[in-house]
Amino acid sequence: LVCGAAAGAPDPFKVLGIDPDADTNTINRAYSQKKYAARGNDALTSQIENAHSQLMMSALSRRMKGQGVNKSV
């Protein structure tokens, strides 16, 4: 999973503490846990939200291009 993060921005996978091959459920679970742990710390909460947004937008872009969708249901 390649993310279009800006130069110098923290790696969204490291921010959320997940592997680059994590699925959407794992990403959302990590996001919820990290956001709960960071309550009261606005800077960290913002960083966590940005990381989550980057990963979700990347996943959406892949799906719109027809990539990353398991069709063997």
Side-chain angles (χ1 to χ4, degrees):
L1 179 66
V2 176
C3 182
D11 179 15
F13 297 105
K14 289 183 181 178
V15 171
L16 295 177
I18 56 175
D19 292 327
D21 61 345
D23 64 358
T24 305
N25 291 333
T26 303
I27 293 169
N28 288 331
R29 189 173 26 252
Y31 167 70
S32 295
Q33 291 171 348
K34 292 285 186 172
K35 191 167 177 186
Y36 180 79
R39 66 190 184 279
N41 183 340
D42 292 337
L44 185 56
T45 299
S46 176
Q47 190 176 24
I48 292 166
E49 289 174 351
N50 287 336
H52 181 257
S53 294
Q54 287 176 5
L55 294 176
M56 292 295 101
M57 289 304 293
S58 178
L60 177 61
S61 295
R62 279 193 330 276
R63 283 196 307 270
M64 291 180 71
K65 292 177 184 176
Q67 303 168 347
V69 177
N70 185 357
K71 297 181 180 169
S72 62
V73 177

mmCIF file of all heavy atoms in Angstrom, residues 13-62:
data_model
loop_
_atom_site.group_PDB
_atom_site.id
_atom_site.type_symbol
_atom_site.label_atom_id
_atom_site.label_comp_id
_atom_site.label_asym_id
_atom_site.label_seq_id
_atom_site.Cartn_x
_atom_site.Cartn_y
_atom_site.Cartn_z
ATOM 1 N N PHE A 13 1.395 4.467 8.804
ATOM 2 C CA PHE A 13 1.404 3.130 9.402
ATOM 3 C C PHE A 13 2.091 3.154 10.768
ATOM 4 O O PHE A 13 1.648 2.500 11.707
ATOM 5 C CB PHE A 13 2.107 2.132 8.476
ATOM 6 C CG PHE A 13 1.399 1.958 7.162
ATOM 7 C CD1 PHE A 13 1.904 2.521 6.004
ATOM 8 C CD2 PHE A 13 0.210 1.253 7.083
ATOM 9 C CE1 PHE A 13 1.251 2.372 4.797
ATOM 10 C CE2 PHE A 13 -0.454 1.093 5.882
ATOM 11 C CZ PHE A 13 0.069 1.661 4.726
ATOM 12 N N LYS A 14 3.151 3.932 10.876
ATOM 13 C CA LYS A 14 3.843 4.047 12.164
ATOM 14 C C LYS A 14 2.991 4.806 13.174
ATOM 15 O O LYS A 14 2.979 4.466 14.350
ATOM 16 C CB LYS A 14 5.197 4.734 11.977
ATOM 17 C CG LYS A 14 6.213 3.864 11.265
ATOM 18 C CD LYS A 14 7.548 4.543 11.153
ATOM 19 C CE LYS A 14 8.532 3.659 10.405
ATOM 20 N NZ LYS A 14 9.829 4.308 10.225
ATOM 21 N N VAL A 15 2.303 5.840 12.696
ATOM 22 C CA VAL A 15 1.446 6.626 13.596
ATOM 23 C C VAL A 15 0.377 5.738 14.214
ATOM 24 O O VAL A 15 0.106 5.805 15.411
ATOM 25 C CB VAL A 15 0.801 7.816 12.843
ATOM 26 C CG1 VAL A 15 -0.254 8.497 13.704
ATOM 27 C CG2 VAL A 15 1.857 8.813 12.410
ATOM 28 N N LEU A 16 -0.221 4.870 13.384
ATOM 29 C CA LEU A 16 -1.282 3.997 13.875
ATOM 30 C C LEU A 16 -0.749 2.698 14.468
ATOM 31 O O LEU A 16 -1.505 1.933 15.074
ATOM 32 C CB LEU A 16 -2.279 3.687 12.756
ATOM 33 C CG LEU A 16 -3.070 4.886 12.235
ATOM 34 C CD1 LEU A 16 -3.974 4.465 11.089
ATOM 35 C CD2 LEU A 16 -3.869 5.538 13.339
ATOM 36 N N GLY A 17 0.540 2.422 14.283
ATOM 37 C CA GLY A 17 1.144 1.215 14.850
ATOM 38 C C GLY A 17 0.694 -0.056 14.157
ATOM 39 O O GLY A 17 0.456 -1.064 14.822
ATOM 40 N N ILE A 18 0.568 -0.009 12.831
ATOM 41 C CA ILE A 18 0.107 -1.171 12.073
ATOM 42 C C ILE A 18 1.085 -1.498 10.951
ATOM 43 O O ILE A 18 1.937 -0.683 10.594
ATOM 44 C CB ILE A 18 -1.298 -0.932 11.477
ATOM 45 C CG1 ILE A 18 -1.305 0.319 10.612
ATOM 46 C CG2 ILE A 18 -2.340 -0.869 12.568
ATOM 47 C CD1 ILE A 18 -2.600 0.579 9.896
ATOM 48 N N ASP A 19 0.937 -2.694 10.388
ATOM 49 C CA ASP A 19 1.759 -3.132 9.262
ATOM 50 C C ASP A 19 1.215 -2.537 7.968
ATOM 51 O O ASP A 19 0.010 -2.310 7.845
ATOM 52 C CB ASP A 19 1.745 -4.660 9.142
ATOM 53 C CG ASP A 19 2.458 -5.339 10.293
ATOM 54 O OD1 ASP A 19 3.445 -4.761 10.807
ATOM 55 O OD2 ASP A 19 2.033 -6.442 10.681
ATOM 56 N N PRO A 20 2.082 -2.325 6.980
ATOM 57 C CA PRO A 20 1.626 -1.790 5.688
ATOM 58 C C PRO A 20 0.623 -2.686 4.962
ATOM 59 O O PRO A 20 -0.111 -2.210 4.106
ATOM 60 C CB PRO A 20 2.916 -1.658 4.878
ATOM 61 C CG PRO A 20 3.984 -1.496 5.892
ATOM 62 C CD PRO A 20 3.547 -2.339 7.060
ATOM 63 N N ASP A 21 0.555 -3.951 5.292
ATOM 64 C CA ASP A 21 -0.395 -4.841 4.623
ATOM 65 C C ASP A 21 -1.690 -5.005 5.432
ATOM 66 O O ASP A 21 -2.483 -5.910 5.155
ATOM 67 C CB ASP A 21 0.235 -6.195 4.338
ATOM 68 C CG ASP A 21 0.672 -6.920 5.605
ATOM 69 O OD1 ASP A 21 0.753 -6.282 6.667
ATOM 70 O OD2 ASP A 21 0.953 -8.128 5.515
ATOM 71 N N ALA A 22 -1.943 -4.107 6.382
ATOM 72 C CA ALA A 22 -3.139 -4.191 7.222
ATOM 73 C C ALA A 22 -4.397 -3.950 6.399
ATOM 74 O O ALA A 22 -4.408 -3.134 5.477
ATOM 75 C CB ALA A 22 -3.052 -3.160 8.343
ATOM 76 N N ASP A 23 -5.454 -4.670 6.754
ATOM 77 C CA ASP A 23 -6.730 -4.480 6.061
ATOM 78 C C ASP A 23 -7.499 -3.310 6.694
ATOM 79 O O ASP A 23 -7.078 -2.739 7.697
ATOM 80 C CB ASP A 23 -7.561 -5.765 6.074
ATOM 81 C CG ASP A 23 -7.972 -6.195 7.469
ATOM 82 O OD1 ASP A 23 -7.597 -5.533 8.456
ATOM 83 O OD2 ASP A 23 -8.678 -7.210 7.577
ATOM 84 N N THR A 24 -8.621 -2.966 6.088
ATOM 85 C CA THR A 24 -9.402 -1.813 6.532
ATOM 86 C C THR A 24 -9.893 -1.965 7.967
ATOM 87 O O THR A 24 -9.875 -0.998 8.735
ATOM 88 C CB THR A 24 -10.607 -1.597 5.592
ATOM 89 O OG1 THR A 24 -10.120 -1.472 4.257
ATOM 90 C CG2 THR A 24 -11.380 -0.357 5.957
ATOM 91 N N ASN A 25 -10.312 -3.159 8.347
ATOM 92 C CA ASN A 25 -10.782 -3.371 9.717
ATOM 93 C C ASN A 25 -9.666 -3.134 10.725
ATOM 94 O O ASN A 25 -9.889 -2.529 11.775
ATOM 95 C CB ASN A 25 -11.348 -4.782 9.879
ATOM 96 C CG ASN A 25 -12.641 -4.978 9.132
ATOM 97 O OD1 ASN A 25 -13.384 -4.024 8.909
ATOM 98 N ND2 ASN A 25 -12.910 -6.200 8.724
ATOM 99 N N THR A 26 -8.469 -3.603 10.415
ATOM 100 C CA THR A 26 -7.322 -3.404 11.308
ATOM 101 C C THR A 26 -6.979 -1.924 11.414
ATOM 102 O O THR A 26 -6.691 -1.421 12.501
ATOM 103 C CB THR A 26 -6.105 -4.201 10.800
ATOM 104 O OG1 THR A 26 -6.477 -5.580 10.694
ATOM 105 C CG2 THR A 26 -4.916 -4.050 11.726
ATOM 106 N N ILE A 27 -7.023 -1.225 10.283
ATOM 107 C CA ILE A 27 -6.728 0.213 10.276
ATOM 108 C C ILE A 27 -7.742 0.954 11.142
ATOM 109 O O ILE A 27 -7.364 1.784 11.984
ATOM 110 C CB ILE A 27 -6.739 0.759 8.839
ATOM 111 C CG1 ILE A 27 -5.568 0.179 8.041
ATOM 112 C CG2 ILE A 27 -6.686 2.286 8.839
ATOM 113 C CD1 ILE A 27 -5.639 0.454 6.548
ATOM 114 N N ASN A 28 -9.025 0.653 10.969
ATOM 115 C CA ASN A 28 -10.060 1.337 11.745
ATOM 116 C C ASN A 28 -9.976 1.019 13.237
ATOM 117 O O ASN A 28 -10.192 1.890 14.079
ATOM 118 C CB ASN A 28 -11.445 0.994 11.201
ATOM 119 C CG ASN A 28 -11.715 1.662 9.878
ATOM 120 O OD1 ASN A 28 -11.196 2.735 9.590
ATOM 121 N ND2 ASN A 28 -12.518 1.021 9.055
ATOM 122 N N ARG A 29 -9.651 -0.214 13.565
ATOM 123 C CA ARG A 29 -9.511 -0.606 14.976
ATOM 124 C C ARG A 29 -8.333 0.137 15.613
ATOM 125 O O ARG A 29 -8.443 0.683 16.719
ATOM 126 C CB ARG A 29 -9.331 -2.121 15.079
ATOM 127 C CG ARG A 29 -9.390 -2.648 16.478
ATOM 128 C CD ARG A 29 -9.382 -4.177 16.569
ATOM 129 N NE ARG A 29 -8.755 -4.870 15.456
ATOM 130 C CZ ARG A 29 -9.400 -5.560 14.513
ATOM 131 N NH1 ARG A 29 -10.713 -5.613 14.518
ATOM 132 N NH2 ARG A 29 -8.745 -6.172 13.560
ATOM 133 N N ALA A 30 -7.202 0.189 14.902
ATOM 134 C CA ALA A 30 -6.029 0.902 15.417
ATOM 135 C C ALA A 30 -6.322 2.392 15.568
ATOM 136 O O ALA A 30 -5.920 3.018 16.554
ATOM 137 C CB ALA A 30 -4.839 0.683 14.489
ATOM 138 N N TYR A 31 -7.039 2.943 14.597
ATOM 139 C CA TYR A 31 -7.419 4.358 14.656
ATOM 140 C C TYR A 31 -8.243 4.641 15.911
ATOM 141 O O TYR A 31 -7.963 5.590 16.647
ATOM 142 C CB TYR A 31 -8.199 4.724 13.397
ATOM 143 C CG TYR A 31 -8.903 6.048 13.458
ATOM 144 C CD1 TYR A 31 -8.196 7.245 13.443
ATOM 145 C CD2 TYR A 31 -10.292 6.121 13.525
ATOM 146 C CE1 TYR A 31 -8.850 8.467 13.492
ATOM 147 C CE2 TYR A 31 -10.947 7.332 13.570
ATOM 148 C CZ TYR A 31 -10.223 8.506 13.555
ATOM 149 O OH TYR A 31 -10.875 9.707 13.611
ATOM 150 N N SER A 32 -9.234 3.826 16.161
ATOM 151 C CA SER A 32 -10.093 4.024 17.337
ATOM 152 C C SER A 32 -9.299 3.916 18.635
ATOM 153 O O SER A 32 -9.466 4.731 19.543
ATOM 154 C CB SER A 32 -11.222 2.992 17.349
ATOM 155 O OG SER A 32 -12.074 3.194 16.261
ATOM 156 N N GLN A 33 -8.440 2.915 18.712
ATOM 157 C CA GLN A 33 -7.647 2.719 19.933
ATOM 158 C C GLN A 33 -6.672 3.866 20.154
ATOM 159 O O GLN A 33 -6.543 4.374 21.273
ATOM 160 C CB GLN A 33 -6.890 1.399 19.852
ATOM 161 C CG GLN A 33 -7.793 0.193 19.923
ATOM 162 C CD GLN A 33 -7.069 -1.111 19.631
ATOM 163 O OE1 GLN A 33 -5.935 -1.121 19.164
ATOM 164 N NE2 GLN A 33 -7.737 -2.222 19.889
ATOM 165 N N LYS A 34 -5.989 4.290 19.088
ATOM 166 C CA LYS A 34 -5.015 5.386 19.218
ATOM 167 C C LYS A 34 -5.717 6.704 19.548
ATOM 168 O O LYS A 34 -5.234 7.484 20.368
ATOM 169 C CB LYS A 34 -4.202 5.550 17.932
ATOM 170 C CG LYS A 34 -3.270 4.411 17.643
ATOM 171 C CD LYS A 34 -2.079 4.465 18.550
ATOM 172 C CE LYS A 34 -1.077 3.392 18.159
ATOM 173 N NZ LYS A 34 0.166 3.516 18.885
ATOM 174 N N LYS A 35 -6.849 6.941 18.916
ATOM 175 C CA LYS A 35 -7.570 8.190 19.172
ATOM 176 C C LYS A 35 -8.079 8.239 20.611
ATOM 177 O O LYS A 35 -8.022 9.274 21.258
ATOM 178 C CB LYS A 35 -8.718 8.342 18.180
ATOM 179 C CG LYS A 35 -9.322 9.710 18.227
ATOM 180 C CD LYS A 35 -10.229 9.980 17.073
ATOM 181 C CE LYS A 35 -10.832 11.358 17.256
ATOM 182 N NZ LYS A 35 -11.829 11.665 16.276
ATOM 183 N N TYR A 36 -8.561 7.103 21.105
ATOM 184 C CA TYR A 36 -9.013 7.051 22.501
ATOM 185 C C TYR A 36 -7.842 7.296 23.450
ATOM 186 O O TYR A 36 -7.969 8.056 24.418
ATOM 187 C CB TYR A 36 -9.660 5.698 22.792
ATOM 188 C CG TYR A 36 -10.142 5.575 24.211
ATOM 189 C CD1 TYR A 36 -11.335 6.169 24.602
ATOM 190 C CD2 TYR A 36 -9.403 4.880 25.162
ATOM 191 C CE1 TYR A 36 -11.777 6.071 25.916
ATOM 192 C CE2 TYR A 36 -9.842 4.785 26.471
ATOM 193 C CZ TYR A 36 -11.030 5.375 26.840
ATOM 194 O OH TYR A 36 -11.461 5.289 28.136
ATOM 195 N N ALA A 37 -6.694 6.691 23.156
ATOM 196 C CA ALA A 37 -5.518 6.848 24.015
ATOM 197 C C ALA A 37 -4.984 8.282 23.976
ATOM 198 O O ALA A 37 -4.378 8.747 24.946
ATOM 199 C CB ALA A 37 -4.424 5.869 23.601
ATOM 200 N N ALA A 38 -5.226 8.998 22.875
ATOM 201 C CA ALA A 38 -4.679 10.347 22.712
ATOM 202 C C ALA A 38 -5.663 11.442 23.118
ATOM 203 O O ALA A 38 -5.371 12.622 22.928
ATOM 204 C CB ALA A 38 -4.268 10.554 21.257
ATOM 205 N N ARG A 39 -6.809 11.059 23.683
ATOM 206 C CA ARG A 39 -7.798 12.085 24.038
ATOM 207 C C ARG A 39 -7.162 13.111 24.985
ATOM 208 O O ARG A 39 -6.407 12.770 25.880
ATOM 209 C CB ARG A 39 -9.041 11.460 24.634
ATOM 210 C CG ARG A 39 -8.824 10.783 25.967
ATOM 211 C CD ARG A 39 -10.056 9.983 26.382
ATOM 212 N NE ARG A 39 -9.870 9.411 27.693
ATOM 213 C CZ ARG A 39 -9.198 8.296 27.950
ATOM 214 N NH1 ARG A 39 -8.623 7.636 26.958
ATOM 215 N NH2 ARG A 39 -9.083 7.842 29.184
ATOM 216 N N GLY A 40 -7.480 14.359 24.695
ATOM 217 C CA GLY A 40 -6.909 15.448 25.484
ATOM 218 C C GLY A 40 -5.629 16.016 24.892
ATOM 219 O O GLY A 40 -5.196 17.089 25.262
ATOM 220 N N ASN A 41 -5.012 15.301 23.958
ATOM 221 C CA ASN A 41 -3.797 15.766 23.300
ATOM 222 C C ASN A 41 -4.163 16.106 21.853
ATOM 223 O O ASN A 41 -4.175 15.249 20.983
ATOM 224 C CB ASN A 41 -2.721 14.677 23.350
ATOM 225 C CG ASN A 41 -1.400 15.123 22.757
ATOM 226 O OD1 ASN A 41 -1.342 16.076 21.984
ATOM 227 N ND2 ASN A 41 -0.345 14.423 23.110
ATOM 228 N N ASP A 42 -4.467 17.387 21.631
ATOM 229 C CA ASP A 42 -4.957 17.804 20.318
ATOM 230 C C ASP A 42 -3.959 17.560 19.196
ATOM 231 O O ASP A 42 -4.348 17.171 18.091
ATOM 232 C CB ASP A 42 -5.349 19.280 20.353
ATOM 233 C CG ASP A 42 -6.567 19.534 21.223
ATOM 234 O OD1 ASP A 42 -7.344 18.590 21.445
ATOM 235 O OD2 ASP A 42 -6.738 20.679 21.684
ATOM 236 N N ALA A 43 -2.686 17.778 19.440
ATOM 237 C CA ALA A 43 -1.673 17.595 18.394
ATOM 238 C C ALA A 43 -1.590 16.126 17.972
ATOM 239 O O ALA A 43 -1.555 15.811 16.779
ATOM 240 C CB ALA A 43 -0.314 18.084 18.878
ATOM 241 N N LEU A 44 -1.572 15.230 18.942
ATOM 242 C CA LEU A 44 -1.496 13.803 18.633
ATOM 243 C C LEU A 44 -2.782 13.312 17.982
ATOM 244 O O LEU A 44 -2.747 12.521 17.036
ATOM 245 C CB LEU A 44 -1.196 12.997 19.896
ATOM 246 C CG LEU A 44 -0.962 11.502 19.715
ATOM 247 C CD1 LEU A 44 0.151 11.232 18.713
ATOM 248 C CD2 LEU A 44 -0.632 10.866 21.052
ATOM 249 N N THR A 45 -3.918 13.801 18.452
ATOM 250 C CA THR A 45 -5.200 13.430 17.854
ATOM 251 C C THR A 45 -5.243 13.852 16.390
ATOM 252 O O THR A 45 -5.680 13.083 15.526
ATOM 253 C CB THR A 45 -6.375 14.065 18.627
ATOM 254 O OG1 THR A 45 -6.347 13.585 19.967
ATOM 255 C CG2 THR A 45 -7.703 13.730 17.996
ATOM 256 N N SER A 46 -4.770 15.044 16.089
ATOM 257 C CA SER A 46 -4.736 15.529 14.717
ATOM 258 C C SER A 46 -3.830 14.657 13.848
ATOM 259 O O SER A 46 -4.174 14.327 12.708
ATOM 260 C CB SER A 46 -4.247 16.979 14.690
ATOM 261 O OG SER A 46 -4.132 17.428 13.368
ATOM 262 N N GLN A 47 -2.690 14.260 14.380
ATOM 263 C CA GLN A 47 -1.753 13.406 13.653
ATOM 264 C C GLN A 47 -2.394 12.039 13.360
ATOM 265 O O GLN A 47 -2.268 11.504 12.259
ATOM 266 C CB GLN A 47 -0.473 13.241 14.472
ATOM 267 C CG GLN A 47 0.647 12.577 13.744
ATOM 268 C CD GLN A 47 1.915 12.525 14.583
ATOM 269 O OE1 GLN A 47 1.872 12.567 15.820
ATOM 270 N NE2 GLN A 47 3.045 12.428 13.936
ATOM 271 N N ILE A 48 -3.091 11.494 14.326
ATOM 272 C CA ILE A 48 -3.771 10.199 14.163
ATOM 273 C C ILE A 48 -4.871 10.313 13.113
ATOM 274 O O ILE A 48 -5.010 9.447 12.244
ATOM 275 C CB ILE A 48 -4.328 9.712 15.515
ATOM 276 C CG1 ILE A 48 -3.179 9.357 16.449
ATOM 277 C CG2 ILE A 48 -5.266 8.531 15.332
ATOM 278 C CD1 ILE A 48 -3.578 9.188 17.900
ATOM 279 N N GLU A 49 -5.655 11.391 13.163
ATOM 280 C CA GLU A 49 -6.727 11.587 12.190
ATOM 281 C C GLU A 49 -6.170 11.750 10.779
ATOM 282 O O GLU A 49 -6.731 11.218 9.821
ATOM 283 C CB GLU A 49 -7.577 12.792 12.579
ATOM 284 C CG GLU A 49 -8.430 12.524 13.791
ATOM 285 C CD GLU A 49 -9.171 13.754 14.285
ATOM 286 O OE1 GLU A 49 -8.907 14.876 13.802
ATOM 287 O OE2 GLU A 49 -10.025 13.578 15.173
ATOM 288 N N ASN A 50 -5.070 12.482 10.649
ATOM 289 C CA ASN A 50 -4.447 12.651 9.336
ATOM 290 C C ASN A 50 -3.936 11.327 8.788
ATOM 291 O O ASN A 50 -4.093 11.038 7.598
ATOM 292 C CB ASN A 50 -3.306 13.667 9.401
ATOM 293 C CG ASN A 50 -3.801 15.081 9.548
ATOM 294 O OD1 ASN A 50 -4.924 15.406 9.174
ATOM 295 N ND2 ASN A 50 -2.970 15.937 10.117
ATOM 296 N N ALA A 51 -3.323 10.517 9.633
ATOM 297 C CA ALA A 51 -2.818 9.210 9.203
ATOM 298 C C ALA A 51 -3.972 8.330 8.732
ATOM 299 O O ALA A 51 -3.885 7.688 7.677
ATOM 300 C CB ALA A 51 -2.058 8.533 10.344
ATOM 301 N N HIS A 52 -5.058 8.319 9.483
ATOM 302 C CA HIS A 52 -6.228 7.519 9.122
ATOM 303 C C HIS A 52 -6.805 8.001 7.785
ATOM 304 O O HIS A 52 -7.127 7.192 6.907
ATOM 305 C CB HIS A 52 -7.276 7.593 10.233
ATOM 306 C CG HIS A 52 -8.485 6.779 9.964
ATOM 307 N ND1 HIS A 52 -9.662 7.342 9.543
ATOM 308 C CD2 HIS A 52 -8.699 5.438 10.033
ATOM 309 C CE1 HIS A 52 -10.555 6.382 9.375
ATOM 310 N NE2 HIS A 52 -10.000 5.216 9.665
ATOM 311 N N SER A 53 -6.921 9.309 7.616
ATOM 312 C CA SER A 53 -7.457 9.867 6.374
ATOM 313 C C SER A 53 -6.596 9.496 5.175
ATOM 314 O O SER A 53 -7.116 9.140 4.111
ATOM 315 C CB SER A 53 -7.565 11.387 6.472
ATOM 316 O OG SER A 53 -8.518 11.750 7.432
ATOM 317 N N GLN A 54 -5.278 9.558 5.331
ATOM 318 C CA GLN A 54 -4.367 9.199 4.242
ATOM 319 C C GLN A 54 -4.575 7.751 3.825
ATOM 320 O O GLN A 54 -4.664 7.444 2.627
ATOM 321 C CB GLN A 54 -2.913 9.389 4.662
ATOM 322 C CG GLN A 54 -2.476 10.811 4.769
ATOM 323 C CD GLN A 54 -1.049 10.919 5.281
ATOM 324 O OE1 GLN A 54 -0.366 9.921 5.476
ATOM 325 N NE2 GLN A 54 -0.594 12.138 5.496
ATOM 326 N N LEU A 55 -4.659 6.868 4.792
ATOM 327 C CA LEU A 55 -4.810 5.451 4.480
ATOM 328 C C LEU A 55 -6.170 5.158 3.856
ATOM 329 O O LEU A 55 -6.265 4.363 2.915
ATOM 330 C CB LEU A 55 -4.605 4.605 5.740
ATOM 331 C CG LEU A 55 -3.186 4.640 6.311
ATOM 332 C CD1 LEU A 55 -3.122 3.843 7.600
ATOM 333 C CD2 LEU A 55 -2.185 4.115 5.302
ATOM 334 N N MET A 56 -7.224 5.785 4.356
ATOM 335 C CA MET A 56 -8.557 5.551 3.806
ATOM 336 C C MET A 56 -8.680 6.107 2.388
ATOM 337 O O MET A 56 -9.285 5.478 1.516
ATOM 338 C CB MET A 56 -9.629 6.161 4.707
ATOM 339 C CG MET A 56 -9.780 5.464 6.048
ATOM 340 S SD MET A 56 -10.369 3.756 5.896
ATOM 341 C CE MET A 56 -8.858 2.836 6.109
ATOM 342 N N MET A 57 -8.101 7.264 2.130
ATOM 343 C CA MET A 57 -8.138 7.834 0.782
ATOM 344 C C MET A 57 -7.331 6.977 -0.189
ATOM 345 O O MET A 57 -7.726 6.792 -1.342
ATOM 346 C CB MET A 57 -7.623 9.275 0.781
ATOM 347 C CG MET A 57 -8.574 10.248 1.435
ATOM 348 S SD MET A 57 -10.239 10.237 0.718
ATOM 349 C CE MET A 57 -9.905 10.881 -0.903
ATOM 350 N N SER A 58 -6.220 6.452 0.272
ATOM 351 C CA SER A 58 -5.407 5.567 -0.560
ATOM 352 C C SER A 58 -6.188 4.302 -0.916
ATOM 353 O O SER A 58 -6.185 3.856 -2.062
ATOM 354 C CB SER A 58 -4.115 5.212 0.176
ATOM 355 O OG SER A 58 -3.337 4.321 -0.580
ATOM 356 N N ALA A 59 -6.887 3.728 0.063
ATOM 357 C CA ALA A 59 -7.687 2.528 -0.176
ATOM 358 C C ALA A 59 -8.838 2.837 -1.129
ATOM 359 O O ALA A 59 -9.137 2.044 -2.026
ATOM 360 C CB ALA A 59 -8.224 1.985 1.146
ATOM 361 N N LEU A 60 -9.473 3.981 -0.982
ATOM 362 C CA LEU A 60 -10.566 4.373 -1.862
ATOM 363 C C LEU A 60 -10.068 4.547 -3.298
ATOM 364 O O LEU A 60 -10.710 4.091 -4.244
ATOM 365 C CB LEU A 60 -11.216 5.665 -1.370
ATOM 366 C CG LEU A 60 -12.325 6.238 -2.237
ATOM 367 C CD1 LEU A 60 -13.479 5.246 -2.343
ATOM 368 C CD2 LEU A 60 -12.796 7.563 -1.686
ATOM 369 N N SER A 61 -8.932 5.175 -3.452
ATOM 370 C CA SER A 61 -8.353 5.372 -4.787
ATOM 371 C C SER A 61 -8.065 4.043 -5.459
ATOM 372 O O SER A 61 -8.342 3.871 -6.649
ATOM 373 C CB SER A 61 -7.066 6.191 -4.698
ATOM 374 O OG SER A 61 -7.345 7.483 -4.251
ATOM 375 N N ARG A 62 -7.531 3.090 -4.704
ATOM 376 C CA ARG A 62 -7.245 1.762 -5.262
ATOM 377 C C ARG A 62 -8.528 1.066 -5.691
ATOM 378 O O ARG A 62 -8.594 0.458 -6.754
ATOM 379 C CB ARG A 62 -6.499 0.893 -4.245
ATOM 380 C CG ARG A 62 -5.018 1.165 -4.178
ATOM 381 C CD ARG A 62 -4.260 0.090 -3.420
ATOM 382 N NE ARG A 62 -5.000 -0.587 -2.378
ATOM 383 C CZ ARG A 62 -5.153 -0.139 -1.136
ATOM 384 N NH1 ARG A 62 -4.627 1.003 -0.776
ATOM 385 N NH2 ARG A 62 -5.842 -0.825 -0.255
#
